[in-house]
Amino acid sequence: EDVVIRGVAVDKNQAKVTIAGVPDKPGIAAQVFKTIADANINIDVIVQNVSEKGFTDISFTVGSTEAGKAAKVLQPVVKNIGAREVTATEGIAKLSVVGIGMRSHPGVAAKMFETLAATGINIGMISTSEIKISVIIALADAEKAARAIHDAFGLSGK
Amino acid sequence: EDVVIRGVAVDKNQAKVTIAGVPDKPGIAAQVFKTIADANINIDVIVQNVSEKGFTDISFTVGSTEAGKAAKVLQPVVKNIGAREVTATEGIAKLSVVGIGMRSHPGVAAKMFETLAATGINIGMISTSEIKISVIIALADAEKAARAIHDAFGLSGK
Ligand SMILES: C[C@@H](O)[C@H](N)C(=O)O
Ligand SMILES: C[C@@H](O)[C@H](N)C(=O)O
């Protein structure tokens, strides 16, 4: 299957919320997202990695003005589930390389990350799907990053 | 936009690799995935959450027989970048709820996670896209989880 990179997408309407130190046991993620759903907050990306010593972090992104509200409604949940803290961060953007056939081409992710590194841009979070590799970066880096990725993948003109 | 849940997908051809304690600075993810690309290992999901005190973990999933090889080729990188360790884990499965309009319906994620909790299933990793919410769970839980999600979303017969 050939890789076809369709383009680069930049989403500046992003802010992130991280609940740090959640216990890794059934029911925790359910409480977090039930609280967010009840507050009618739309979620974009959700990221949870493996736990260490029984604890992990859950992060998710929301619209750029929603993170404060999300963190506020989660305060009581942080207490209930025995998590460490919840933090809201603005000033971020989501940068995605969009294409088909990426799953069978690990070189695409490597090239994207190498391009960001060569441009001096730090990757805050990574999330992938069959058709997209997305990273969370600083909002201030978004334009520079998109241009560098465009050039690296020969997308100019798209 | 209405939510349309199309179905539940179970992928049992999964194993995960975690590089724990990587420094959060430009170029690190590039080195990891360049090494994996050079070894011709196909990657499925990549997950990296925010760093704490300057370090974070990077996890990715591969075919169920590839994790050992991936961890082996990453050993030198772990040393080079000053990470703590790399581990390979088999016996996992990826369970996804597939649908459209999910981004604007945080209730879908909540319902999926609540169903898994009610079935006593622990969520190991979470990754999302516009059309999918995926969790990594124990392989032994996959069938039970898929049935419970089917019922909860009224998908029987699909
Ligand atoms: C951390 C969180 O995902 C937990 N493992 C759960 O199942 O809810
Ligand atoms: C952790 C890793 O993603 C690092 N921040 C990088 O940019 O490569």
Side-chain angles (χ1 to χ4, degrees):
Chain A
E1 183 183 23
D2 273 345
V3 178
V4 176
I5 302 294
R6 293 267 166 72
V8 179
V10 178
D11 182 349
K12 295 183 177 172
N13 180 24
Q14 293 268 327
K16 72 185 179 205
V17 177
T18 297
I19 309 158
V22 302
D24 184 15
K25 56 177 201 243
I28 297 296
Q31 283 190 60
V32 168
F33 291 100
K34 172 107 179 76
T35 305
I36 294 295
D38 289 349
N40 274 322
I41 297 170
N42 288 340
I43 314 165
D44 184 13
V45 177
I46 303 175
V47 168
Q48 179 207 311
N49 206 335
V50 301
S51 61
E52 278 177 43
K53 303 192 177 70
F55 292 92
T56 185
D57 301 336
I58 294 176
S59 292
F60 58 90
T61 66
V62 293
S64 49
T65 59
E66 300 271 284
K69 181 179 164 194
K72 211 163 134 214
V73 298
L74 285 173
Q75 279 302 348
V77 175
V78 167
K79 277 207 185 56
N80 287 349
I81 63 177
R84 206 171 57 243
E85 63 176 353
V86 58
T87 50
T89 310
E90 298 176 2
I92 62 168
K94 183 174 72 169
L95 178 76
S96 308
V97 169
V98 186
I100 49 175
M102 308 220 287
R103 258 169 80 168
S104 38
H105 285 78
V108 175
K111 191 171 180 176
M112 178 186 187
F113 300 155
E114 284 178 324
T115 305
L116 293 172
T119 320
I121 292 170
N122 194 52
I123 298 168
M125 288 165 69
I126 303 173
S127 175
T128 62
S129 75
E130 281 77 12
I131 56 161
K132 249 190 201 183
I133 302 173
S134 299
V135 294
I136 296 292
I137 57 175
L139 181 58
D141 289 335
E143 293 300 336
K144 192 170 60 169
R147 261 196 312 280
I149 302 267
H150 256 276
D151 293 347
F153 286 98
L155 295 168
S156 1
K158 284 203 191 181
Chain B
E1 181 182 25
D2 275 345
V3 180
V4 176
I5 302 294
R6 292 267 165 72
V8 178
V10 178
D11 181 351
K12 295 182 178 172
N13 179 25
Q14 294 266 326
K16 71 183 179 206
V17 178
T18 297
I19 307 158
V22 302
D24 184 14
K25 57 178 203 248
I28 297 297
Q31 283 189 62
V32 168
F33 289 99
K34 172 109 178 78
T35 305
I36 294 296
D38 289 348
N40 272 323
I41 297 169
N42 288 341
I43 317 164
D44 183 11
V45 177
I46 303 174
V47 167
Q48 179 207 312
N49 207 332
V50 300
S51 62
E52 278 175 40
K53 301 194 179 69
F55 293 89
T56 185
D57 302 335
I58 294 177
S59 292
F60 58 92
T61 66
V62 293
S64 48
T65 59
E66 299 271 280
K69 181 179 162 194
K72 212 165 133 214
V73 299
L74 285 173
Q75 280 302 348
V77 175
V78 166
K79 276 208 187 57
N80 285 350
I81 64 177
R84 205 168 58 244
E85 63 178 355
V86 57
T87 50
T89 311
E90 299 176 1
I92 62 169
K94 184 173 73 171
L95 178 75
S96 308
V97 169
V98 186
I100 49 173
M102 307 219 289
R103 256 171 81 168
S104 38
H105 286 79
V108 175
K111 190 170 181 178
M112 177 185 187
F113 301 154
E114 285 177 325
T115 305
L116 293 172
T119 321
I121 293 170
N122 193 52
I123 299 167
M125 288 165 68
I126 304 173
S127 176
T128 62
S129 76
E130 280 76 13
I131 57 162
K132 249 191 202 180
I133 302 173
S134 299
V135 294
I136 296 292
I137 57 175
L139 182 58
D141 289 334
E143 293 300 336
K144 190 170 59 171
R147 263 197 311 281
I149 302 265
H150 256 276
D151 294 348
F153 285 98
L155 296 168
S156 6
K158 285 202 188 180

